[in-house]
Amino acid sequence: MRRTCLILLCLSFAGMPHAAASAIDYNRDIRPILSENCFSCHGPDESGRKGKRRLDVADAAYADRNGIIAIKPGRADESDAWLRITSTFEDEQMPPKESHLSLTAAQKEKLKAWIDAGAPYAPHWSLVAPQKAPLPVVAAREEASSPIDRFVRAQLAEENLKPALVADRATLMRRVTLDLTGLPPSADEVATFVRDRDPRAYERLVDRLLASPHFGERAALEWLDAARYADTNGFSIDGGRHMWLWRDWVIQAFNDNLPYDRFLVEQLAGDLLPNRTESQLIATGFQRNNMVTHEGGTIPEENLTNYNVDRVKTLGEAVLGFTLACAQCHDHKFDPISQEEYFRFYAFFNTLSDKGNDGNAGINPGPSVQARTVLRSTEAPQLHEQIAALKAELAQPNPALLKTWEQREQPVLAARGTNLGVHRVKALKVSTPNRGSGFEVEGENLVRFRQTQPMAAFDILTELPKLDAPITGLRVVMHPLPELRGGGWGSGPNLPARGTQVEMKGKRIASKEASMEEGKGSFVLTALAASAEAVPGDQVNLHLLRQFSRVTANSWQPAYPPAGILDPRNESGWSPDLATSGSVHLTATFAQPVHSTDTPFLNVQVNFGHGKTLMPGLIEILVLTGTD
C-alpha cells in the first residue's frame, strides 16, 4: 500500500505540464472546464439536456447534425461549440448569460488547443488505469536526483522558478518525522541524526519511521476521514459505539503494508471471503461508519433509506472517485453515472439486516460481533513493568505524605457539624426527556416515581427558603416505601448482599456480615448535578453547574460509595447498605456557597443509569447551611 501511495504521488506530478508532458490532457485540462460550464445542459442527464446536443462523449460531439458539428477534431474554426464560445452575439454565446457562467481567457485557450490537437476524449479519470509516466528531461547536473525530484524540477523550470535551498538536517529530520508519524521527533533523535554523516543516514531514518507503529496512525487519517469514522452514532443523543476496532484495523493495515486491492476487498466484502477471519469481519466496519439513530419519533424505513444512501455516497467518493450521490435524483449531470446505475449500487446495500432505530445506550448498532483489536503493539511489556512498579510504590505508605494528609484532615474532622442546619425546599416541578408521566411532585417537597426504567435522568426544580446564612450544600433523601420490594427504597432488584463477594471494576471486594434483608429493593444514583439561578428553569443549566467539594452519605455499600456520583459512568454510583433501616441520604457540599436572596431557584438533576430498573420510589431534596 505504501508503494501504491508513492505511485499515486508520482502520477500527480506526472499530470503537471512540463517539458516531457506539456500536451493538453482531457481529464486534467478539459473535462473540468466542460463539466463546470457545459455538462449541466449538454451532459449525461437526458432530462436536463438542451438542444439534444451532448458534449460529454466523443461520438455525439463529433456528429454532423444538418451540417453543424459541435466539435470538429483538428478544426476549432469549424466547430460550432468554439464559434458559440467566441461569439459576440448575446443570443449565441455559450455559456448563456442567464447561466451566470463564463470562461476565462486561459480556459478558452486550452479548449481551442485541445480541438486543434484532435479533440481527444478519455474515460472518466477514475476509470483509467494508472500508467507509468516517462521521466522528464532535466539538466545534466540534476539527473542523479530521485524520479520525484525530476518531476518537481521539470515543473519548476516550466514555471521559471528555482528550487528552495536545501533544508538543514534538523529541519529535514523534523519534517520527515511529522510527515510519516504525525509526531515531532525528540531532541535526542534530532541530535543523533544531525551528527550522523553517513550517506545512508536519511534512508535509515525513513526505514525506522516506516517501521514505527505511529506510521499507521498517521497514514490512516485520510482514509478515516473518507470513511466518515466516528466513535459516536451522530443523531439523537449521539451515544457511543465501538468503531475503534475498525480504526485499529486500518492502522494495522498500513503498518503491515497491506496491498491496496486487499485493503479494499476486505473492507467491502470481508464477510463474504472464504474462511473469513475475525480481522476480515472487523474490516467491513468501513460501511458501518454511517450515522444512526434510536430516536423514537423517526420512521425506521426512512432511516434505513438514509443509511443506505450514505453508504452509496461513501463508496462512490472514497473508492470509485465518483460523486454518486448526484445520480440519486437524476442522471448525473457531470459524471458518466445514470440514475439506474445509482440504484443498482443502492440495491446492494438495501439487502442488509440492520435496523432503522438502533444504537441506544452506547452500543453498536446491529448486526455486530464481539472481537478483539487486531492492532499489535510492543508497548505491553513496558506498561506491565510500569504498573508493577507503581503498585509496589503504592504498597509502601509514604510517612511524609501520610502526615501531611492527617494534618489536612484533622481540622476538617474537628469542624464537622459546625452551625449545621438542614432546610426544606419547595419542589415546583419534575421533568425528564421523552416522558411526560410516571413521576410527580407530592406535597410541597417530595417527588414520587411511579414507573421505573433501566436508565433515567430527572430534573427537579425547587424554590429555596429565604435564609440569611449561605447555603453550603444539598441533600438527596431516599425514603422507604411499604409497597416497594421488601419495604426498601427502590423497585429494582437488590444489589449483592453483604457477606457475599462483590466484583467491582475487576476486583473482588468482600463485604461485611450477611444481611437479613436480601430481598430489599434498592437503587443506584449514578450522577448528581445542580445549578442555581434567579429565574426558574426546566432543567439544570449546564453553563452554571455548581461544583461539589465533597460528598458524604449516611449509608453505602463498599462497591457503591458516595463518591461514585462524581464519576458519571453508568457502572459507578452510590447505593446504600441493605442493612440500613429508614431513610438514607447523600449530601453534596458546594465548592462555592449559594445565596438564596440572589438565586432563589435550585435545579437538581438526579441520574439513575445503572440499569436493571435500579430507581428509587420517593425523593426529598433538602439544603444545608453550616458545615456538613
Side-chain angles (χ1 to χ4, degrees):
M1 194 149 58
R2 296 172 192 160
R3 179 178 296 179
T4 301
C5 296
L6 182 60
I7 290 173
L8 293 174
L9 179 62
C10 292
L11 288 172
S12 67
F13 281 116
M16 298 178 180
H18 49 70
S22 59
I24 294 290
D25 179 83
Y26 177 76
N27 275 322
R28 182 191 66 216
D29 303 310
I30 305 302
R31 182 189 290 277
I33 299 174
L34 297 179
S35 178
E36 178 69 24
N37 298 279
C38 307
F39 286 174
S40 60
C41 297
H42 302 289
D45 184 12
E46 292 185 9
S47 61
R49 195 175 302 141
K50 303 294 177 61
K52 299 182 179 180
R53 172 65 76 183
R54 294 186 67 172
L55 297 179
D56 61 307
V57 290
D59 290 345
Y62 299 162
D64 186 330
R65 297 179 59 196
N66 299 322
I68 298 176
I69 302 174
I71 297 177
K72 187 172 183 179
R75 297 302 300 268
D77 58 340
E78 297 181 15
S79 300
D80 186 57
W82 173 249
L83 296 176
R84 293 292 195 95
I85 288 170
T86 57
S87 175
T88 58
F89 296 101
E90 187 175 303
D91 59 343
E92 291 183 355
Q93 286 178 351
M94 290 291 167
K97 184 177 180 179
E98 59 269 20
S99 70
H100 302 291
L101 300 171
S102 62
L103 298 174
T104 65
Q107 290 174 325
K108 292 178 181 179
E109 184 180 341
K110 284 184 179 181
L111 287 173
K112 185 176 187 304
W114 171 65
I115 297 174
D116 286 338
Y121 278 77
H124 190 276
W125 64 267
S126 68
L127 304 178
V128 178
Q131 295 181 357
K132 187 174 182 179
L135 291 177
V137 177
V138 295
R141 66 181 181 277
E142 298 172 350
E143 287 184 353
S145 61
S146 73
I148 293 179
D149 286 340
R150 291 181 66 172
F151 283 104
V152 172
R153 290 180 181 275
Q155 176 67 21
L156 291 174
E158 184 79 12
E159 301 290 339
N160 294 319
L161 298 173
K162 293 183 179 180
L165 296 176
V166 176
D168 62 78
R169 292 178 71 79
T171 300
L172 181 63
M173 204 276 185
R174 179 176 173 82
R175 285 176 180 172
V176 71
T177 305
L178 285 169
D179 281 346
L180 293 182
T181 67
L183 300 169
S186 68
D188 290 341
E189 290 172 334
V190 174
T192 300
F193 179 71
V194 170
R195 290 193 302 265
D196 191 348
R197 293 297 173 178
D198 189 310
R200 298 188 61 189
Y202 182 75
E203 183 179 342
R204 291 202 308 271
L205 169 62
V206 171
D207 287 343
R208 177 175 67 80
L209 295 173
L210 291 175
S212 166
H214 300 304
F215 167 76
E217 296 167 2
R218 168 62 186 89
L221 290 178
E222 284 77 14
W223 188 252
L224 297 183
D225 285 344
R228 73 276 193 251
Y229 165 76
D231 266 340
T232 58
N233 289 328
F235 291 121
S236 191
I237 62 172
D238 198 20
R241 58 182 171 188
H242 300 297
M243 284 305 298
W244 52 267
L245 285 168
W246 173 79
R247 176 204 63 194
D248 286 358
W249 184 92
V250 175
I251 292 171
Q252 195 61 51
F254 277 97
N255 282 333
D256 289 343
N257 202 14
L258 192 69
Y260 188 59
D261 56 348
R262 282 184 54 198
F263 180 73
L264 290 182
V265 166
E266 293 190 15
Q267 290 183 88
L268 295 175
D271 57 324
L272 302 179
L273 295 175
N275 302 316
R276 68 190 182 196
T277 64
E278 187 174 82
S279 171
Q280 289 166 338
L281 279 178
I282 294 173
T284 60
F286 167 71
Q287 281 293 15
R288 299 305 301 281
N289 277 303
N290 58 285
M291 294 169 63
V292 297
T293 184
H294 65 266
E295 204 280 316
T298 57
I299 303 172
E301 291 78 8
E302 180 183 13
N303 288 351
L304 287 174
T305 299
N306 292 335
Y307 301 163
N308 294 329
V309 164
D310 177 271
R311 288 163 179 155
V312 174
K313 177 178 182 290
T314 302
L315 173 68
E317 293 175 356
V319 179
L320 302 179
F322 278 132
T323 51
L324 288 180
C326 297
Q328 180 184 351
C329 301
H330 50 70
D331 289 347
H332 206 302
K333 293 184 182 296
F334 311 112
D335 295 341
I337 294 292
S338 67
Q339 190 176 22
E340 180 180 353
E341 288 169 325
Y342 173 89
F343 280 101
R344 288 178 182 171
F345 281 105
Y346 177 88
F348 173 78
F349 291 112
N350 205 37
T351 62
L352 300 179
S353 59
D354 49 344
K355 300 176 182 178
N357 286 18
D358 205 354
N360 192 10
I363 64 171
N364 282 23
S368 61
V369 295
Q370 293 286 336
R372 292 182 178 273
T373 179
V374 300
L375 192 63
R376 295 187 295 277
S377 172
T378 59
E379 297 175 333
Q382 179 184 356
L383 292 175
H384 284 302
E385 291 178 5
Q386 292 179 4
I387 292 171
L390 290 171
K391 285 182 176 180
E393 182 181 347
L394 292 172
Q396 300 295 326
N398 185 316
L401 288 177
L402 185 59
K403 185 174 181 60
T404 300
W405 177 78
E406 290 174 347
Q407 291 173 345
R408 185 189 70 202
E409 291 299 313
Q410 283 170 354
V412 175
L413 291 174
R416 283 193 306 173
T418 303
N419 298 322
L420 176 63
V422 181
H423 311 272
R424 286 185 171 182
V425 301
K426 184 176 181 180
L428 301 178
K429 181 181 179 182
V430 57
S431 61
T432 187
N434 302 323
R435 286 182 60 189
S437 61
F439 48 89
E440 61 192 15
V441 173
E442 188 172 285
E444 284 202 348
N445 63 325
L446 298 174
V447 175
R448 183 181 289 272
F449 301 116
R450 298 189 181 279
Q451 296 177 7
T452 61
Q453 58 190 97
M455 294 193 301
F458 294 92
D459 288 279
I460 303 171
L461 174 63
T462 70
E463 184 176 2
L464 299 173
K466 291 180 172 58
L467 301 172
D468 294 331
I471 294 172
T472 55
L474 71 90
R475 176 170 290 179
V476 182
V477 183
M478 313 295 187
H479 294 291
L481 291 173
E483 65 266 24
L484 295 177
R485 180 182 302 192
W489 314 278
S491 56
N494 58 296
L495 292 166
R498 299 193 309 170
T500 63
Q501 292 287 329
V502 180
E503 185 163 333
M504 184 67 175
K505 298 183 180 179
K507 295 188 294 185
R508 300 191 70 81
I509 303 171
S511 55
K512 300 179 184 178
E513 71 279 358
S515 170
M516 298 300 291
E517 301 179 81
E518 295 182 1
K520 181 185 288 188
S522 191
F523 64 89
V524 177
L525 178 67
T526 55
L528 180 69
S531 62
E533 295 187 75
V535 295
D538 289 337
Q539 56 191 24
V540 290
N541 189 328
L542 297 179
H543 302 287
L544 298 174
L545 289 181
R546 293 283 170 169
Q547 299 298 315
F548 300 135
S549 61
R550 62 193 290 234
V551 286
T552 61
N554 71 329
S555 172
W556 66 88
Q557 294 196 44
Y560 301 91
I565 66 124
L566 300 177
D567 180 351
R569 291 177 296 181
N570 292 341
E571 58 266 28
S572 68
W574 166 64
S575 187
D577 190 324
L578 294 175
T580 304
S581 300
S583 300
V584 292
H585 63 253
L586 177 139
T587 303
T589 299
F590 296 132
Q592 297 295 331
V594 172
H595 298 276
S596 60
T597 54
D598 299 329
T599 52
F601 297 99
L602 182 72
N603 223 318
V604 180
Q605 185 179 87
V606 288
N607 288 262
F608 306 98
H610 201 70
K612 300 180 181 178
T613 64
L614 284 161
M615 284 179 53
L618 190 63
I619 284 184
E620 181 179 8
I621 303 295
L622 305 169
V623 293
L624 274 63
T625 54
T627 305
D628 177 23

